Coordinates of all heavy atoms in Angstrom, one line a residue:
W1 N -7.4 -0.6 -4.7 CA -6.6 -1.0 -3.5 C -5.6 0.1 -3.2 O -5.4 0.4 -2.0 CB -5.9 -2.4 -3.8 CG -6.6 -3.5 -3.2 CD1 -7.7 -4.1 -3.7 CD2 -6.3 -4.2 -2.0 NE1 -8.1 -5.2 -2.9 CE2 -7.3 -5.3 -1.9 CE3 -5.3 -4.1 -1.1 CZ2 -7.3 -6.1 -0.8 CZ3 -5.3 -5.0 0.0 CH2 -6.3 -6.0 0.2
A2 N -4.9 0.6 -4.2 CA -3.9 1.6 -3.9 C -4.5 2.8 -3.2 O -3.9 3.4 -2.3 CB -3.1 1.9 -5.2
D3 N -5.6 3.2 -3.8 CA -6.3 4.4 -3.3 C -6.7 4.2 -1.8 O -6.5 5.0 -0.9 CB -7.5 4.7 -4.1 CG -8.2 6.0 -3.7 OD1 -7.6 7.0 -3.4 OD2 -9.5 6.0 -3.6
D4 N -7.4 3.0 -1.5 CA -7.8 2.8 -0.2 C -6.6 2.6 0.8 O -6.8 3.0 2.0 CB -8.8 1.6 -0.1 CG -10.1 1.9 -0.7 OD1 -10.3 3.1 -1.2 OD2 -11.0 1.0 -0.6
L5 N -5.6 2.0 0.4 CA -4.4 1.8 1.3 C -3.9 3.2 1.7 O -3.4 3.4 2.7 CB -3.3 1.0 0.6 CG -3.7 -0.5 0.4 CD1 -2.5 -1.2 -0.3 CD2 -4.0 -1.2 1.7
G6 N -4.0 4.1 0.7 CA -3.5 5.5 1.0 C -4.5 6.3 1.7 O -4.1 7.2 2.6
D7 N -5.8 6.1 1.5 CA -6.7 7.1 2.1 C -7.6 6.6 3.2 O -8.2 7.4 3.9 CB -7.7 7.5 1.0 CG -7.1 8.4 -0.1 OD1 -6.0 9.0 0.2 OD2 -7.8 8.6 -1.1
E8 N -7.7 5.3 3.4 CA -8.7 4.8 4.3 C -8.2 4.3 5.7 O -9.0 4.0 6.6 CB -9.5 3.6 3.7 CG -10.2 4.0 2.4 CD -11.3 5.0 2.6 OE1 -11.9 5.0 3.7 OE2 -11.5 5.9 1.7
T9 N -6.9 4.2 5.9 CA -6.4 3.7 7.2 C -6.5 4.7 8.3 O -6.6 4.3 9.5 CB -4.9 3.3 7.1 OG1 -4.1 4.4 7.0 CG2 -4.6 2.3 6.0
G10 N -6.5 6.0 8.0 CA -6.5 7.0 9.0 C -5.2 7.2 9.7 O -5.1 7.9 10.8
D11 N -4.1 6.6 9.2 CA -2.8 6.7 9.8 C -1.8 6.8 8.7 O -1.6 5.8 8.0 CB -2.6 5.4 10.7 CG -1.2 5.4 11.4 OD1 -0.3 5.8 10.8 OD2 -1.2 4.8 12.5
R12 N -1.1 7.9 8.6 CA -0.1 8.1 7.5 C 1.0 7.1 7.5 O 1.4 6.6 6.5 CB 0.4 9.5 7.6 CG -0.6 10.6 7.2 CD 0.1 12.0 7.2 NE -0.9 13.0 7.0 CZ -1.4 13.3 5.9 NH1 -1.0 12.7 4.8 NH2 -2.3 14.3 5.7
D13 N 1.5 6.8 8.7 CA 2.6 5.8 8.8 C 2.1 4.4 8.3 O 2.8 3.7 7.6 CB 3.2 5.7 10.2 CG 3.9 7.0 10.6 OD1 4.4 7.7 9.7 OD2 4.0 7.3 11.8
E14 N 0.9 4.0 8.8 CA 0.4 2.7 8.3 C 0.1 2.7 6.8 O 0.4 1.7 6.2 CB -0.9 2.4 9.1 CG -1.6 1.1 8.7 CD -0.8 -0.1 9.1 OE1 0.2 0.0 9.9 OE2 -1.1 -1.2 8.6
S15 N -0.4 3.8 6.3 CA -0.6 3.9 4.9 C 0.7 3.7 4.1 O 0.7 3.0 3.1 CB -1.3 5.2 4.5 OG -2.7 5.2 4.8
L16 N 1.7 4.4 4.5 CA 3.0 4.3 3.9 C 3.6 2.9 3.9 O 4.0 2.4 2.9 CB 4.0 5.3 4.5 CG 3.9 6.7 4.1 CD1 4.8 7.6 4.9 CD2 4.3 6.9 2.6
K17 N 3.4 2.2 5.1 CA 3.8 0.9 5.2 C 3.1 0.0 4.2 O 3.6 -0.9 3.5 CB 3.6 0.4 6.6 CG 4.0 -1.0 6.9 CD 3.7 -1.3 8.4 CE 3.4 -2.8 8.5 NZ 2.9 -3.2 9.8
L18 N 1.8 0.1 4.1 CA 0.9 -0.7 3.2 C 1.2 -0.4 1.8 O 1.2 -1.3 0.9 CB -0.6 -0.5 3.6 CG -1.0 -1.1 4.9 CD1 -2.4 -0.6 5.2 CD2 -0.9 -2.6 4.8
L19 N 1.5 0.9 1.4 CA 1.8 1.2 0.1 C 3.2 0.7 -0.3 O 3.3 0.3 -1.5 CB 1.7 2.8 -0.1 CG 0.3 3.3 -0.1 CD1 0.4 4.8 0.1 CD2 -0.5 2.9 -1.4
E20 N 4.1 0.6 0.6 CA 5.4 0.0 0.3 C 5.2 -1.5 0.0 O 5.8 -2.0 -0.9 CB 6.4 0.2 1.5 CG 6.8 1.6 1.7 CD 7.8 2.1 0.6 OE1 8.4 1.2 0.0 OE2 7.9 3.3 0.5
W21 N 4.4 -2.1 0.8 CA 4.0 -3.5 0.5 C 3.3 -3.7 -0.8 O 3.7 -4.6 -1.6 CB 3.1 -4.1 1.7 CG 2.3 -5.3 1.3 CD1 2.9 -6.6 1.2 CD2 1.0 -5.4 1.0 NE1 1.9 -7.4 0.8 CE2 0.7 -6.7 0.7 CE3 -0.1 -4.5 1.0 CZ2 -0.6 -7.2 0.4 CZ3 -1.4 -4.9 0.6 CH2 -1.6 -6.3 0.4
W22 N 2.4 -2.8 -1.1 CA 1.7 -2.9 -2.4 C 2.7 -2.7 -3.6 O 2.6 -3.4 -4.6 CB 0.6 -1.8 -2.5 CG -0.5 -2.0 -3.5 CD1 -0.8 -1.1 -4.5 CD2 -1.4 -3.1 -3.6 NE1 -1.9 -1.6 -5.2 CE2 -2.2 -2.8 -4.7 CE3 -1.5 -4.3 -2.9 CZ2 -3.2 -3.7 -5.1 CZ3 -2.5 -5.2 -3.3 CH2 -3.3 -4.9 -4.4
E23 N 3.7 -1.9 -3.4 CA 4.7 -1.7 -4.4 C 5.6 -3.0 -4.6 O 5.9 -3.3 -5.7 CB 5.6 -0.5 -4.0 CG 6.5 0.0 -5.1 CD 7.0 1.4 -4.8 OE1 7.4 1.6 -3.6 OE2 7.1 2.2 -5.7
R24 N 5.8 -3.6 -3.5 CA 6.6 -4.9 -3.6 C 5.7 -6.0 -4.4 O 6.2 -6.7 -5.2 CB 7.0 -5.4 -2.3 CG 8.1 -4.6 -1.6 CD 8.6 -5.3 -0.4 NE 7.6 -5.5 0.7 CZ 7.3 -4.6 1.6 NH1 7.8 -3.4 1.6 NH2 6.4 -5.0 2.5
E25 N 4.4 -6.0 -4.1 CA 3.5 -6.9 -4.8 C 3.5 -6.6 -6.2 O 3.4 -7.5 -7.1 CB 2.1 -6.8 -4.1 CG 2.0 -7.4 -2.7 CD 2.2 -8.9 -2.6 OE1 1.7 -9.6 -3.4 OE2 2.8 -9.3 -1.6
L26 N 3.5 -5.3 -6.6 CA 3.5 -4.9 -8.0 C 4.8 -5.4 -8.7 O 4.7 -6.0 -9.8 CB 3.4 -3.4 -8.1 CG 3.6 -2.8 -9.5 CD1 2.4 -3.2 -10.4 CD2 3.7 -1.3 -9.4
A27 N 5.9 -5.2 -8.0 CA 7.2 -5.7 -8.6 C 7.1 -7.2 -8.8 O 7.6 -7.8 -9.9 CB 8.3 -5.3 -7.7
D28 N 6.6 -8.0 -7.8 CA 6.5 -9.4 -8.0 C 5.6 -9.8 -9.1 O 5.8 -10.8 -9.8 CB 6.0 -10.0 -6.7 CG 7.1 -10.1 -5.6 OD1 8.3 -9.9 -5.9 OD2 6.7 -10.3 -4.4
C29 N 4.5 -9.1 -9.3 CA 3.6 -9.3 -10.4 C 4.3 -9.2 -11.7 O 4.2 -10.1 -12.6 CB 2.4 -8.4 -10.3 SG 1.3 -8.4 -11.7
F30 N 4.9 -8.1 -11.9 CA 5.6 -7.9 -13.2 C 6.9 -8.8 -13.4 O 7.3 -8.9 -14.5 CB 5.9 -6.4 -13.4 CG 4.7 -5.7 -14.0 CD1 3.7 -5.3 -13.2 CD2 4.6 -5.4 -15.3 CE1 2.6 -4.6 -13.7 CE2 3.5 -4.8 -15.9 CZ 2.5 -4.3 -15.0

């Protein structure tokens, strides 16, 4: 998921936004 959020959107700003969300999900998990 992390890799595809970073590599597959085709839009750097969108990828950053999604990776920030993924990071929040990680924090909630732990």
Side-chain angles (χ1 to χ4, degrees):
W1 263 78
D3 183 48
D4 285 4
L5 294 176
D7 289 346
E8 300 295 330
T9 69
D11 179 327
R12 290 183 185 280
D13 291 335
E14 180 67 12
S15 286
L16 281 169
K17 178 180 152 192
L18 289 169
L19 289 165
E20 291 287 340
W21 161 71
W22 198 239
E23 194 167 38
R24 289 189 303 274
E25 293 291 321
L26 174 67
D28 285 347
C29 171
F30 276 80

